[in-house]
Amino acid sequence: MFSSAKSVSLTLLTMSVAAGAAEYLPALDGLGRHATPAEVRAWDIDVRPDFVGLPSGFGSVERGEAIWLDRCASCHGDFGDSN
C-alpha cells in the first residue's frame, strides 16, 4: 500500500511526464466527436460470468468455435492468444 506522500509523489511524476509528452503530440482539436447514447449502448457488449448481458438468441460452443475460427482466429489466434 502506498503512503499518502508516495501517492502524491507518484501523481506529480505522472502529471509532469504527461505534460512533457504533450509538446510532442500533434494538435487534435476538432478531431472526432462524442459517441451518441445509441452508439455507447451498441458497444456495451460485456457478458458477466452468470450470463447477464448475453444477447437473446441461440447457439452452442461448437458453433461459436466455428465462427471464431472462420472470422477471428486469423488475427487473434485459435485460442485468442495472438498479438
Side-chain angles (χ1 to χ4, degrees), residues 21-63:
E23 69 184 81
Y24 298 104
L25 297 175
L28 300 176
D29 294 335
L31 181 65
R33 62 174 175 77
H34 291 282
T36 67
E39 289 170 330
V40 172
R41 279 191 305 277
W43 295 326
D44 186 16
I45 57 171
D46 59 313
V47 177
R48 296 185 342 200
D50 61 359
F51 305 111
V52 171
L54 192 65
S56 60
F58 59 91
S60 67
V61 172
E62 293 78 18
R63 180 69 183 130

Side-chain angles (χ1 to χ4, degrees), residues 8 11 16 18 22 33 35 37 56 64 67 69 76 79:
V8 169
T11 301
S16 65
R33 62 174 175 77
S56 60
I67 292 170
L69 292 173
H76 298 283
F79 300 101

